[in-house]
Structures are given as C-alpha cells and as structure tokens.
Amino acid sequence: MHEHIRVRATGFSHGHRFRISPGRLWTRERGLALALLAVVGPGILAGLSDDDPAGITTYSILGADFGYRLLWTLLVSTLALVLFYDLTVRLGCATGKGLVSVIRMRYGAKAGFSSAGFLIVANLGTTAAEMAGIAAGLEIGGVSRYASVPLAAVAVTTLVLAGSFHRVEIVLLVISSVFFTYIAAGILAHPHWGEAARGLVVPGLSFQRHAILVATATLGTTLAPWGLAFIQSYAVDKKLKPRDWKFERIDVVVGAIATGVIGFFVVVACAETLYRSHKHIKDASNAAVALAPLAGHLASTLFAVGLVGAGLLAAAILPLSTSYSVSESFGKEGRIDGNLRTDPIFFSTYIAMTAVAAAIVLIPGAPLVPILFLTQALNAVMLLPFLAMITYLTRDRGLMGQLRIGAVSACAAWATTALIAVTVVALGVFSLLPGK
C-alpha cells in the first residue's frame, strides 16, 4: 500500500495526515476506511443475490434431508465463489468493460451476441423463479400472488428507472440486510454447534441418488453465469479502476463469506428441526411453514421474511445482469445513471425481463418447476465455458496489466472449474437415473 491515499473529495492535500476543511483532521486510517466504503457494493450484492429462493430451497432440503452431513459442500461453494468473483472483478477493473464486452472484444460480435442470447433465456426463467419465491413467502402471510408479484415487479422496475446509481445501490444493500433473519431463525432452532462445525469441515457423502443430487446442486449451481456477468458489469458501472481492486477484493470476500454464513444458518435451522423430526420438504416455503411447531412462530416468520427479501433482491439484480449483458453485446456499456432516452437498450431490456417473468408466474398452472429446471440446466452448460474464458483472460498480461493473476491462482481456478464440471456432469447423470 502506498503512503499516499487517493480519496474522492475536493479541497485537500495528500499525505499521511492532512486537512480537508478548517479544524478537521483527516488521518490515514480514516482515508483507508473511506476508500473501502467507496467500493462496497458489487461483492456483497452479487454474493447475497446468490442466496436466491432457489438457493434457499437447496439449503433447506440439504438440512432437512441430511442434517449436518453435507454442510462441507457449502464451504467448498463459498471458496469457489470467492475465487471467481475476485477474477471477474479483476477483469472489470483492468479493462473497464463488462464480461460480455470483453468476450465481444476478444472473440468477436457473434460470440458477444450468443452469450447475451443464452443469458436472456436462462435469466428469464430464473427471474420467474425469484418472483415465485416472493409469492410463496407472502402467501404464507395470506397475500395473494396476484397482488404480490405485480407489486414486486413495479417496485424493482421503478427503483431502477427512477433512481441514480448510488440510490439504487443503497436500496439494494438495505434489502440485502433482510438475510440476517436466517441467522436469527437458525439460532432460535438451538443447534448443536459441535455437530454443525464437524459437518462443515469433515467431508461425508452417502452414495444415494438423492444425496448426490443435493450435494452436486449445492456445488454446481453456486456460480451462476448471471452472477459473474453482474459483478463485473456492476463494478464497471461503479467506475472502479485498477487502483480500487485491493479494496474491492475485501468487498468480494465479505460478500461471498456472508453468502456462506446465510446458507449455513438455513441448513442449521432445518437440520435441527425438520431433520430430527423426519419432515421432508419440497421448497423453502414448505420449510418456513414446517418450522412453526418445531422452532416457534417467530423462527417461521423470520424464515418467510428472508425468502421474500431474497426474492426481491434477486428479482432486482437478475434483470440488471441481463440488461448489462444485452447492452454490452451491442458494444455499449450499460449504466444505471442513464434513462430510457439515453440508454434505450439497457432500460428496455430491464422492463421486458421483469414484466415477462412476472407474467409467467401469474399464468394459472404455469409449469414453474420445469421452467426452473431447464433454465438451470442451461446455466450449467453456459457456466463451464464462462469459467474457462475468465481464467484464460485473467492470465493475459496485455489485457490485465498489473492485475494479471499468478500461476497459483490460475491453478486454483482450473481446479475449481474441473470440480464444477464433475458436479455438473454428475447432476445431469443422476437426474436421469432411476432410484432413490
């Protein structure tokens, strides 16, 4: 770290100790804190949005069906999240371009359009799943989906259309704070911390079809292509530069760890209650209802509130990720600070994605589970080439400059890609095989 600190402000001189206004002393430590606060956002929002209703459902089933035995898969997922979110932020800071823009620049316009097209299809189904999560959480409290889903769609669209970048970021960070309800729900379940700690660090896997499906789902779907595209494009929209990367890395690590911590407490809440009472569930809303007689109505309510918050955050961020990618496929970086007149592609994509996803959820008898399954399968297929490209590009000295990754990081990235490839293949194979 250099002795001098660059702080975005006016009327001050640089140095270990300097004045920014009469009578006010600014220290190096305060400057470092301000520099860190200036970059907070991409890591936390990308990480926590990964704990969407589909993720919460996976963690709930993991805890309800296997107790603490598969918690180690969550630790591995969290480490993979730290690694690849760090690589994509590096790529964004070094190039000043989003992921699809870099793909277009390096591999041509056809590759850029193809990447954006796949993301549109996959993200549409996943956004519908987020809306369905909001509906399921509020239906526990007696609110009809025909009221909750349109209101949620209007709310997130208005936020992005009417808000500035910093206002949108603040609102999304406030929404992300709702995830702490899962920590409270887990504590209210009075878990056996020793058993939980052991499950977190001691690998164990029953060779049953269902166990392998849940384990591979936790490992193989943690890194979604939309999350990688979002964190890089959002870092570019936030105007982060190479000099910001060391601070932004802290944001990425904190966001990924927070994601793992939330998942841990979801598993704990379900393991200590549903697993011990031999109750099986199909989704996170089932878990919220089932917790009431076992851990109390407060734990059940907190779990449901967390599900709604998770859906809202992901329902806002998934269309953002898509809007960035579509704009980049046309050779233009998306920006929240624009408007429909200055950035028609970006904002039209956001409106269309949100509206169509909400409409899908409101169709009576809509096959939401098959839609989610097919889009997640598409995400899995897309993920592997994305991971390979990111690893390859971040080793390019001409592209990355001082942010080029070293041999150790590259080996870790290739090893993680190989592990996720195995889990994705296993998920596909065991999904097709009959048996328990």
Side-chain angles (χ1 to χ4, degrees), residues 303-362:
F303 206 91
V305 169
L307 181 61
V308 174
L312 275 174
L313 182 65
I317 287 179
L318 261 154
L320 263 183
S321 176
T322 313
S323 296
Y324 282 130
S325 297
V326 172
S327 295
E328 291 162 14
S329 71
F330 285 93
K332 183 178 176 63
E333 301 297 326
R335 58 194 185 102
I336 296 175
D337 276 334
N339 54 56
L340 265 171
R341 182 177 57 81
T342 60
D343 297 88
I345 296 174
F346 181 83
F347 287 96
S348 296
T349 301
Y350 193 94
I351 293 169
M353 282 287 294
T354 308
V356 174
I360 290 172
V361 176
L362 295 178

Side-chain angles (χ1 to χ4, degrees), residues 355-401:
V356 174
I360 290 172
V361 176
L362 295 178
I363 297 173
L368 293 179
V369 173
I371 289 172
L372 179 60
F373 177 80
L374 290 174
T375 54
Q376 292 307 304
L378 182 57
N379 269 330
V381 172
M382 290 175 57
L383 179 62
L384 295 175
F386 267 60
L387 296 182
M389 281 190 291
I390 290 167
T391 304
Y392 177 76
L393 291 169
T394 49
R395 283 287 285 165
D396 187 327
R397 190 181 299 278
L399 190 68
M400 298 297 294

Side-chain angles (χ1 to χ4, degrees), residues 289-303:
V289 173
L291 279 175
L294 300 169
H297 287 285
L298 179 57
S300 175
T301 301
L302 290 171
F303 206 91

